[in-house]
Amino acid sequence: MAKPVSIEVWNPNGKYRVVSTKSMPGTRWINLLIEQDCRLEICTEKKTILSVEDIIALIGDKCDGVIGQLTEDWGETLFAALSKAGGKAFSNMAVGYNNVDVNAANKYGVAVGNTPGVLTETTAELAASLSLAAARRIVEADGFMRAGLYDGWLPHLFVGNLLKGQTVGVIGAGRIGSAYARMMVEGFKMNLIYFDLYQSTRLEKFVTAYGQFLKANGEQPVTWKRASSMSEVLQEADVISLHPVLDKTTYHLINKESLATMKKEAILINCSRGPVVDEVALVEHLKQNPMFRVGLDVFEDEPYMKPGLGEMKNAIVVPHIASASKWTREGMATLAALNVLGKIKGYPVWHDPNRVDPFLNENAPPPAASPSIVNAKALGLPVSKL
Ligand SMILES: NC(=O)c1ccc[n+]([C@@H]2O[C@H](COP(=O)([O-])OP(=O)(O)OC[C@H]3O[C@@H](n4cnc5c(N)ncnc54)[C@H](O)[C@@H]3O)[C@@H](O)[C@H]2O)c1
Ligand SMILES: O=C(O)[C@H](O)CO
């Protein structure tokens, strides 16, 4: 028998019971649900990561939909429990859904939502921040200053890397990877090399046009190259940022062998998912190559770091905050709530998950659709014609 879990209740007499496993930023998502006759229960348990047992207790005997988090294990057990309680809607409050077994959701006919687009620029900005912080050794220098070690300007003090004219490498040039590439190319006049399973024509066009602009103004034009393999990117780039989805093709993409092919003074950024990098191999590489630097937002066994990582001066580590801007987090909450609401109300699925702006406009009612359902096709859900 699962232990009861503490909750806060909104609109107790609502017809549809929706559960959110965490409190989420903003109030728009709450209002949108209660205006549409939902009784909303928000879990108020103090512990950060809820167990499967906790979530089963939250689902209870009758539940129409759940908004969950990327830290939760949404597999067979939870989808079976949700389906038994009459629920057909789940949404992660995240764009990544590697914590969700979509096949299990399909088996129980549960729609799985995610929150693309609203976090693209925010996440790319954190990847750019880590790139700059690593290149210019900002965290090390800050620690030095606070420790009272600064006793005057010196020619060799915290010398780092100039980005201008260097090559930025992007692995996974989807929404976030492309936004990051544009920031680094336009902001720092870096050349681009990227690897993705698909061609990113818009990104290529952008770099070409910016290169032409620079040339017309008497500056060195920036260039782009689509690599035919990931190893080409690792060998050629000075700064490499990882932005693929996590699946079996990207697990430990960066490992002992691939690290060995990178430049000794390269910078590696990971704002995708921890297991894309073999963290044990990375720690060893950082020890052997003091001029190699990393900026990590995600870790292989979150919330833990592999032994030794926290002591490395050439590593910058932050706690999975890439999407943590107020606008983005409130928007993620809105999209997640609307994914669940849309399925409960029988709305179609939005036609383009890359263009979710209409759902984020606070001055207008959202479209009658679920913004992004990743298994819409498998479940045969209708698509909005708007
Ligand atoms: N750190 C964070 O807080 C944070 C925030 C947002 C997203 N993310 C992660 O970033 C990922 C990407 O998000 P997005 O919105 O850009 O998704 P996206 O689907 O637009 O982009 C992912 C890209 O990866 C590519 N890809 C897939 N397999 C590949 C492979 N084997 N090699 C190279 N490229 C491959 C895809 O073709 C696609 O272009 C998410 O899945 C999530 O895990 C993390
Ligand atoms: O996948 C995601 O959305 C992130 O990891 C959290 O923003």
Side-chain angles (χ1 to χ4, degrees):
M1 178 78 171
K3 274 196 297 167
V5 180
S6 61
I7 52 163
E8 166 187 309
V9 181
W10 292 75
N11 193 29
N13 298 321
K15 176 171 167 196
Y16 311 105
R17 180 169 174 262
V18 173
V19 167
S20 175
T21 62
K22 286 282 163 202
S23 151
M24 300 189 292
T27 49
R28 184 164 177 249
W29 70 277
I30 297 176
N31 294 332
L32 287 168
L33 288 172
I34 63 183
E35 279 160 15
Q36 294 293 321
D37 211 5
C38 295
R39 169 191 164 103
L40 172 63
E41 297 185 13
I42 304 175
C43 178
T44 52
E45 283 288 305
K46 288 278 176 281
K47 67 170 152 176
T48 305
I49 301 178
L50 296 185
S51 65
V52 166
E53 197 192 30
D54 294 329
I55 300 172
I56 288 175
L58 280 171
I59 290 171
D61 298 334
K62 192 235 170 225
C63 179
D64 296 288
V66 178
I67 302 166
Q69 300 297 324
L70 62 88
T71 47
E72 297 156 7
D73 180 10
W74 278 85
E76 173 85 26
T77 311
L78 286 183
F79 286 117
L82 180 56
S83 171
K84 196 166 166 227
K88 289 281 174 263
F90 166 78
S91 183
N92 237 15
M93 183 215 176
V95 66
Y97 53 91
N98 51 288
N99 62 311
V100 181
D101 179 345
V102 179
N103 288 330
N106 291 343
K107 179 174 154 190
Y108 291 99
V110 179
V112 173
N114 72 340
T115 64
V118 66
L119 37 63
T120 299
E121 301 293 326
T122 299
T123 304
E125 283 180 14
L126 198 272
S129 311
L130 290 174
S131 306
L132 283 185
R136 300 303 299 275
R137 305 173 63 186
I138 291 172
V139 176
E140 268 181 274
D142 177 272
F144 176 87
M145 201 69 196
R146 289 171 198 272
L149 297 170
Y150 181 51
D151 53 11
W153 189 91
L154 279 173
H156 289 293
L157 196 60
F158 289 109
V159 171
N161 305 358
L162 172 70
L163 297 179
K164 185 178 178 214
Q166 290 206 328
T167 299
V168 62
V170 172
I171 295 175
R175 286 174 291 247
I176 299 169
S178 291
Y180 167 83
R182 288 174 60 150
M183 284 175 195
M184 302 310 283
V185 168
E186 188 179 2
F188 305 105
K189 302 192 175 96
M190 299 185 82
N191 298 311
L192 171 69
I193 179 166
Y194 79 93
F195 176 69
D196 197 293
L197 309 178
Y198 302 96
Q199 183 174 13
S200 185
T201 315
R202 280 171 71 185
L203 178 58
E204 292 172 2
K205 280 190 183 154
F206 172 84
V207 183
T208 301
Y210 186 50
Q212 284 163 353
F213 168 82
L214 290 174
K215 199 169 170 197
N217 284 281
E219 290 192 62
Q220 181 72 23
V222 288
T223 61
W224 62 265
K225 177 172 164 187
R226 181 181 177 202
S228 55
S229 67
M230 184 189 75
S231 47
E232 213 177 316
V233 177
L234 297 184
Q235 284 164 36
E236 289 185 25
D238 301 287
V239 178
I240 291 142
S241 199
L242 307 172
H243 297 286
V245 297
L246 170 64
D247 62 15
K248 53 183 185 307
T249 70
T250 60
Y251 176 79
H252 281 193
L253 208 58
I254 301 296
N255 53 34
K256 187 176 175 207
E257 290 70 36
S258 50
L259 284 164
T261 66
M262 292 172 72
K263 294 181 183 177
K264 294 277 178 219
E265 298 192 5
I267 290 169
L268 176 69
I269 305 299
N270 190 9
C271 288
S272 60
R273 283 288 184 267
V276 172
V277 176
D278 175 346
E279 212 171 288
V280 170
L282 177 66
V283 173
E284 197 45 41
H285 192 76
L286 288 166
K287 283 184 186 158
Q288 301 301 327
N289 298 278
M291 297 309 288
F292 183 93
R293 292 196 276 273
V294 287
L296 303 174
D297 179 54
V298 287
F299 304 89
E300 205 172 340
D301 303 317
E302 285 183 32
Y304 308 106
M305 286 189 280
K306 293 288 188 200
L309 183 58
E311 285 84 64
M312 300 309 303
K313 283 212 162 96
N314 45 350
I316 299 172
V317 288
V318 295
H320 205 148
I321 55 167
S323 66
S325 73
K326 183 176 181 291
W327 182 80
T328 287
R329 287 285 166 88
E330 291 185 3
M332 289 164 73
T334 296
L335 294 182
L338 291 176
N339 281 332
V340 167
L341 181 67
K343 181 69 177 72
I344 290 173
K345 302 284 274 187
Y347 296 159
V349 175
W350 190 239
H351 60 283
D352 186 354
N354 290 319
R355 291 176 198 279
V356 292
D357 300 23
F359 296 92
L360 302 170
N361 178 1
E362 303 204 3
N363 301 315
S370 288
S372 177
I373 299 294
V374 303
N375 56 349
K377 216 173 173 176
L379 297 185
L381 300 178
V383 175
S384 157
K385 296 200 175 39
L386 291 172

